[in-house]
């Protein structure tokens, strides 16, 4: 079984007795391309490409997220982010397996260190949604540790490096894991005197808003470390009422919440769309943080938007929005000491 699917299955087999709404939503996500085509009444010609490309990178999409998509429209901007299509099989120059240099920045299995003062833990090989443009779609997740005992070497490494002040919990999506192991990890990290901040990179509050539970808020608020939550939404239609409420709960709990988006052709490559996204984020008190240039991962070339076009869009956003509402337009370059601001 593909590792992403295997982990989700495992999460739910283990947690069935204490199943909560978010776990059921995760377990019940659509993974069969034919089911997605049927549910959304997509044209028959989408079926074959969806089947083929999902063999390389499986389809995963929660039903609640599907509920925000238009029926019968293969160009729906939310669907486009998750529907496997034939173009993913086309090779494109410069589009590679590891576009951001994760391999060379891996210090220990599951521990990535790229930038001064920060270390990133790959805690999970699963996500609630498999984004077709994901820069980690070919990440060697089978090499990364699973569970607290397996994380201990990475924790010891972080403890031995006083130059670090921030740890980023990532994956996959760290919030597909239950709160108990995450809280245990947060406690262990808070015991390391030189650490100051704990950042969580997650798409769960967007695609399964039920994931924002009392327990989650409890351990995030309870840690000595300054918590920062970075969510990932690309289009205003992702932010429905439930999602907005979930984001507001995080903010009302005193947690800084930022959004990162990826500039994607056919999804959000219009200033109108991004302006509406930024406005909607602010309405829910989330700050637009980054707009990423697409990382050139193999299979995603059909999402590419030229940087010159991205700069035009940014200029338009600057005219329409207050400065704090305009995300920073950045690209990640393997080996660079920080993200590079474009323009
Ligand atoms: S949620 Fe993030 S890590 Fe998961 S597939 Fe999407 S982009 Fe990749």
């Amino acid at each position: 079984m593909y590792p992403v699917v295997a982990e989700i299955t495992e999460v739910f087999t283990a947690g069935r007795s204490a199943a909560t709404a978010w776990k059921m939503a995760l377990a019940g996500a659509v993974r069969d391309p034919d089911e997605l085509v049927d549910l959304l009444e997509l044209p028959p010609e989408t079926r074959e490409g969806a089947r083929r490309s999902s063999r390389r990178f499986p389809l995963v999409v929660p039903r609640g997220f599907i509920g925000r998509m238009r029926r019968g429209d293969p160009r729906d901007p939310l669907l486009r982010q998750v529907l496997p299509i034939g173009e993913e099989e086309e090779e494109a120059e410069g589009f590679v397996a590891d576009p951001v240099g994760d391999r060379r920045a891996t210090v220990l299995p599951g521990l990535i260190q790229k930038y001064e003062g920060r270390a990133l833990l790959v805690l999970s090989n699963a996500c609630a949604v498999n984004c077709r443009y994901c820069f980690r779609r070919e990440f060697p997740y089978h090499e990364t540790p699973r569970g607290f005992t397996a994380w201990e070497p990475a924790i010891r490494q972080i403890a031995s490096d006083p130059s670090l002040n921030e740890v980023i919990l990532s994956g996959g999506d760290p919030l597909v894991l239950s709160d108990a192991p995450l809280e245990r990890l947060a406690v262990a990290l808070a015991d390391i005197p030189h650490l100051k901040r704990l950042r969580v990179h997650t798409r769960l509050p967007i695609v399964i808003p039920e994931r924002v539970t009392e327990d989650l808020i409890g351990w995030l608020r309870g840690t000595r470390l300054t918590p920062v939550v970075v969510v990932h939404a690309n289009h205003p239609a992702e932010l429905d009422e439930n999602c907005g409420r979930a984001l507001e709960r995080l903010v009302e709990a005193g947690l800084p919440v930022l959004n990162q988006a990826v500039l994607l052709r056919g999804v959000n490559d219009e200033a109108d769309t991004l302006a509406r996204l930024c406005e909607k984020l602010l309405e829910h008190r989330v700050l637009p943080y980054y707009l990423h240039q697409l990382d050139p991962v193999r299979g995603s070339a059909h999402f590419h938007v030229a940087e010159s076009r991205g700069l035009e869009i940014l200029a338009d956003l600057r005219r329409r929005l207050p400065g704090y509402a305009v995300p920073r337009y950045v690209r990640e370059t393997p080996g660079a000491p920080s993200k590079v601001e474009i323009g």
Side-chain angles (χ1 to χ4, degrees):
M1 191 186 296
Y2 193 86
V4 171
V5 179
E7 176 160 319
I8 290 177
T9 306
E10 188 186 314
V11 165
F12 289 101
T13 311
R16 199 173 293 280
S17 59
T20 56
W22 72 266
K23 287 184 176 177
M24 286 164 66
L26 191 51
V30 170
R31 295 184 174 80
D32 174 0
D34 284 302
E35 187 181 0
L36 183 62
V37 170
D38 291 340
L39 277 172
L40 287 172
E41 298 163 13
L42 298 176
E45 59 272 19
T46 53
R47 207 174 283 276
E48 190 44 41
R51 283 178 188 155
R52 276 204 323 270
S53 290
S54 67
R55 282 179 212 126
R56 277 173 83 162
F57 182 48
L59 165 81
V60 181
V61 55
R63 289 170 199 273
F65 197 65
I66 296 170
R68 298 171 225 172
M69 299 172 188
R70 294 187 295 261
R71 278 171 186 265
D73 182 0
R75 290 186 303 177
D76 177 273
L78 274 54
L79 176 66
R80 196 165 153 76
Q81 296 177 53
V82 302
L83 178 70
I85 57 173
E87 281 104 312
E88 291 179 31
E89 295 174 315
E90 292 167 12
E91 293 293 326
E93 199 183 329
F95 283 73
V96 297
D98 178 14
V100 295
D102 276 343
R103 274 269 182 194
R104 77 162 94 148
T106 297
V107 179
L108 282 178
L111 179 65
I112 295 176
Q113 237 173 293
K114 286 184 185 168
Y115 304 138
E116 195 175 316
R118 286 147 283 173
L120 182 145
L121 285 171
V122 177
L123 297 184
S124 157
N125 65 4
C127 286
V129 62
N130 274 356
C131 311
R132 307 313 298 175
Y133 52 85
C134 179
F135 65 98
R136 293 210 175 109
R137 51 181 284 168
E138 295 195 33
F139 190 83
Y141 283 116
H142 58 280
E143 295 173 10
T144 57
R146 296 280 158 265
F148 189 83
T149 307
W151 296 334
E152 281 177 332
I155 298 169
R156 281 197 295 274
Q157 170 65 26
I158 292 167
S160 73
D161 183 350
S163 73
L164 295 173
N165 53 38
E166 178 168 354
V167 171
I168 300 160
L169 307 186
S170 182
D173 196 312
L175 295 193
V176 299
L177 302 177
S178 298
D179 288 306
L182 291 171
E183 180 169 16
R184 193 173 169 202
L185 175 64
V187 168
L189 293 172
D191 277 345
I192 300 173
H194 51 262
L195 289 184
K196 294 183 178 147
R197 290 180 299 280
L198 183 64
R199 197 189 324 171
V200 180
H201 278 187
T202 178
R203 195 145 156 68
L204 258 293
I206 305 296
V207 298
I208 302 182
E210 298 86 345
R211 180 63 184 91
V212 178
T213 58
E214 286 304 317
D215 285 349
L216 172 66
I217 289 173
W219 68 262
L220 280 170
R221 286 192 62 184
T223 174
R224 162 189 80 74
L225 304 168
T226 301
V228 179
V229 179
V230 180
V231 296
H232 171 182
N234 299 311
H235 190 280
E238 293 175 46
L239 305 178
D240 70 354
E241 210 180 314
N242 284 341
C243 174
R245 264 202 304 272
L247 294 171
E248 285 172 21
R249 282 188 72 196
L250 290 168
V251 176
E252 281 160 11
L255 301 163
V257 185
L258 310 171
N259 183 66
Q260 49 185 348
V262 182
L263 183 60
L264 299 166
R265 195 201 303 168
V267 174
N268 59 8
D269 55 339
E270 296 289 341
D272 264 349
T273 308
L274 283 174
R276 280 189 290 121
L277 172 66
C278 295
E279 292 278 6
K280 225 162 170 183
L281 287 165
L282 288 174
E283 192 181 312
H284 300 303
R285 302 178 224 167
V286 174
L287 282 177
Y289 166 41
Y290 275 149
L291 176 66
H292 290 269
Q293 180 66 8
L294 176 75
D295 296 314
V297 69
R298 189 157 49 201
S300 72
H302 54 288
F303 285 116
H304 174 75
V305 177
E307 286 187 2
S308 54
R309 172 71 188 133
L311 285 169
E312 282 171 14
I313 293 171
L314 258 284
D316 213 338
L317 290 182
R318 277 191 211 100
R319 272 193 293 276
R320 297 175 186 216
L321 298 169
Y324 59 82
V326 180
R328 291 166 63 201
Y329 181 34
V330 294
R331 119 170 57 85
E332 182 161 346
T333 305
S338 67
K339 300 236 178 347
V340 178
E341 195 138 0
I342 302 172

